[in-house]
Amino acid sequence: MHLIKVDPRALKENPDRTRQTKSSPQADALLLATIKAVGIVQPPLVTAETGGGNGYIINAGHRRVKQAIAAGLEEIEVLVGEAASDNGAMRSMIENVAFSPLSSVDQWRAIERLVALGWTEEAIGIALAQPLRQIRKLRLLANVLPAMLDHMARGDMPNEGQLRTIASASLEEQKQVWKKHKPSKADPQVSWWSVAQGLTKTRMYARDASFGDDLAQAYGIAWVEDLFAPADEDSRYTTDVEAFLGAQQEWMTNNLPKKSVLVEVNGWGQPELPKKAERVYGKPTKSDCTAMYLDRDGKVQSVHYRVPEAKKAKGKDSGAGTDGADDAGIASASRPDVTRKGIEMIGDLRTDALHEALARAPIEDDTLMALLVLAFAGQNISVASGARDISYFGAASLGEHAARLLNPEGVFEFDMDTLRAAVRSLLIDVLSCRENRSNSGIVACVAGDAIGADDFLPNMGSEEFLSCLSRSALEASCKDTPVLPRQKVKDTRAALVEHFREGRLIHPAALFAPDKAKLSSWLTSKAASEEDDPDAQGEDPQMAEDAGGAEREDAFREAAE
């Protein structure tokens, strides 16, 4: 290495320089004033140009050279060194860190450059006196959208928690959120909190899991390490909530102690104990039972309770009640064949098939009119009747279907084709099997069974739906197929998906045929009785308050008759 004098304008910039982030105008002005006053104290480091050139390339000191040109210096002193095997990448990074701390984005770019040149993460950590965890944390920036990285390089950085959430999301998800929250001329600052909120996913941590590696592999759970969490705790997590809860549920079923029961939780996250059970808050006794459940974080929890002894009845059968109470206390509930998400998917698939059948399937006119009457008996319908006072919290706007049957004067004017189209559209709006407020109840199943909506159900042999089935239900789906149950749940599921790729799987729970017991109960509850006859009831005090309205209604009825 030797010292020479050169014209700063003849020096060439290194395209692979470590510090890519632009310095602030204040820092540049301070450096320019220093150079004008005392000159360049530390000469820039250059190397001879390779590949046939006869100039010099700047390895360190780009800002000093730039400000020397701005100060009007004709010559400056530079140190000429030999080119390193990694083109001076490590030396350049160390020197830049010594002069002024690099931004996180510049550090990541420098680390990625060193890795591409053959450096290992351990070697980089030793050379920079940084822990291996910090090097891996910086390398997470490789998962950040390039547009976000460019903005971070300008100095607007999220905090560690927000960066962790952003780096954990896919590039497509980041792109969608960035499109909504990217900076503008009016507001150049990014709300990283809003960006992180848009990318937040529920995490289930390995430290909360009671199951082992065997069940984790069976349910296809892949743990991801959270490099931003404290180093002294198990920070592994998964975002596959359904698989995590399924594995927890199977572990509880396999490890259920004697006199124990699996219970669900209510809306407040508290376990729902068997009927007449009393929770034990103190030290349990040998005769007490145990209820196991999953809390809102997916952790296995247990509480103790006791079932009071039934009062002994007089007679020979006095011991029957006690046996029943004991049985109620230790009944064990297994995981349902189809999860809640699976039930919701079935509701969506059945609704779409029902709508398609109503739109395309051949339906006789008398059946069509009967379906219309049936549709308005659905539990998702609210009607403000003129004959009785009913107050519901909203109703669908179905007037557009009736409007096509009227002329501008408000008189019926339509042909049969228009009537059929209006009735089909109305039925599509009314009947629903979705697992929300729009659910029509059992009448939607009756309607779908009547018009053959089963033929319009799509293939349910997909990865998304089969992941909602329990092990027993999944193995039951292998019946009448050449697929044999595998040892691992995910292998059985993958084989079924491959088998039904060109075929069609319809889960029995998705068929429209109504449950006989539910249908009988519905028919019994809806049966007409003398008590429901309006003529048999006394005068409603509320109706008597508006005598004028009642008279107008009676006149309308007489005219209609």
Side-chain angles (χ1 to χ4, degrees), residues 335 337-339 341-342 345 463-470:
R335 185 186 184 219
D337 286 345
V338 185
T339 63
K341 181 181 177 182
M345 290 179 62
E463 176 74 23
E464 185 180 9
F465 178 78
L466 293 179
S467 63
C468 300
L469 302 184
S470 66

Side-chain angles (χ1 to χ4, degrees), residues 151 156 178 180-191 194:
H151 185 80
D156 187 7
W178 183 249
K180 182 179 180 181
H181 297 287
K182 65 181 180 181
S184 60
K185 291 183 179 180
D187 187 12
Q189 288 290 112
V190 175
S191 175
S194 301

Side-chain angles (χ1 to χ4, degrees), residues 387-389 528-541 543:
R388 49 187 173 175
D389 182 23
S529 63
E530 292 183 359
E531 295 178 357
D532 296 329
D533 187 1
D535 297 333
Q537 297 178 1
E539 182 181 1
D540 190 344
M543 296 179 60

Side-chain angles (χ1 to χ4, degrees), residues 44-368:
L45 181 63
V46 300
T47 56
E49 189 177 4
T50 59
N54 57 0
Y56 293 97
I57 296 177
I58 306 171
N59 273 350
H62 291 79
R63 289 182 60 229
R64 282 168 277 169
V65 173
K66 182 178 179 181
Q67 297 308 320
I69 296 173
L73 300 183
E74 297 296 332
E75 287 184 335
I76 62 172
E77 291 182 337
V78 296
L79 282 171
V80 182
E82 296 180 359
S85 59
D86 60 358
N87 200 22
M90 178 56 74
R91 181 172 58 192
S92 175
M93 182 177 183
I94 293 175
E95 186 181 61
N96 274 280
V97 171
F99 275 110
S100 179
L102 291 173
S103 67
S104 298
V105 177
D106 281 342
Q107 290 184 53
W108 162 71
R109 286 171 173 161
I111 291 172
E112 292 298 322
R113 179 186 172 197
L114 291 169
V115 171
L117 292 171
W119 286 71
T120 64
E121 292 179 346
E122 292 78 3
I124 296 172
I126 293 172
L128 298 179
Q130 294 279 0
L132 180 60
R133 186 182 181 86
Q134 177 66 17
I135 301 299
R136 290 177 176 172
K137 184 192 300 184
L138 289 170
R139 295 200 69 190
L140 281 179
L141 289 172
N143 302 325
V144 178
L145 190 70
M148 290 189 189
L149 277 177
D150 293 340
H151 185 80
M152 292 177 189
R154 298 178 189 143
D156 187 7
M157 286 287 297
N159 60 37
E160 282 196 359
Q162 294 163 351
L163 183 59
R164 171 182 59 191
T165 303
I166 295 170
S168 300
S170 66
L171 291 179
E172 186 61 31
E173 292 172 332
Q174 294 181 41
K175 186 177 181 181
Q176 296 298 326
V177 173
W178 183 249
K179 187 183 298 184
K180 182 179 180 181
H181 297 287
K182 65 181 180 181
S184 60
K185 291 183 179 180
D187 187 12
Q189 288 290 112
V190 175
S191 175
W192 293 113
W193 180 89
S194 301
V195 174
Q197 283 294 108
L199 296 172
T200 299
K201 292 182 179 179
T202 302
R203 292 184 173 189
M204 311 304 289
Y205 287 93
R207 60 176 178 265
D208 297 333
S210 298
F211 55 87
D213 294 338
D214 52 344
L215 279 179
Q217 293 177 1
Y219 280 85
I221 298 175
W223 299 115
V224 180
E225 185 177 2
D226 184 358
L227 296 175
F228 289 86
D232 58 347
E233 68 177 32
D234 185 2
S235 60
R236 295 174 300 150
Y237 69 91
T238 179
T239 55
D240 192 348
V241 179
E242 286 289 333
F244 182 91
L245 296 180
Q248 290 280 72
Q249 193 80 22
E250 184 165 340
W251 181 90
M252 288 195 301
T253 304
N254 297 337
N255 296 272
L256 198 64
K258 293 182 179 180
K259 299 186 68 176
S260 298
V261 60
L262 298 181
V263 298
E264 301 292 333
V265 295
N266 56 26
W268 292 273
Q270 298 298 318
E272 291 187 344
L273 300 177
K275 291 182 178 180
K276 299 182 180 180
E278 298 176 354
R279 184 169 177 176
V280 177
Y281 291 95
K283 186 176 180 179
T285 62
K286 293 182 178 181
S287 61
D288 291 336
C289 303
T290 303
M292 299 181 68
Y293 65 98
L294 295 178
D295 63 11
R296 292 178 176 177
D297 296 327
K299 298 179 184 178
V300 175
Q301 304 286 2
S302 62
V303 296
H304 299 282
Y305 68 95
R306 63 174 60 103
V307 179
E309 294 184 3
K311 295 181 179 179
K312 293 183 179 180
K314 296 181 179 179
K316 297 181 180 180
D317 300 331
S318 59
T322 306
D323 295 340
D326 292 342
D327 293 341
I330 61 174
S332 174
S334 60
R335 185 186 184 219
D337 286 345
V338 185
T339 63
R340 181 66 183 178
K341 181 181 177 182
I343 295 295
E344 292 176 355
M345 290 179 62
I346 288 176
D348 290 343
L349 295 174
R350 291 168 71 181
T351 300
D352 294 339
L354 174 61
H355 291 175
E356 192 171 355
L358 288 169
R360 295 168 47 196
I363 307 173
E364 296 295 334
D365 290 347
D366 54 350
T367 304
L368 203 61

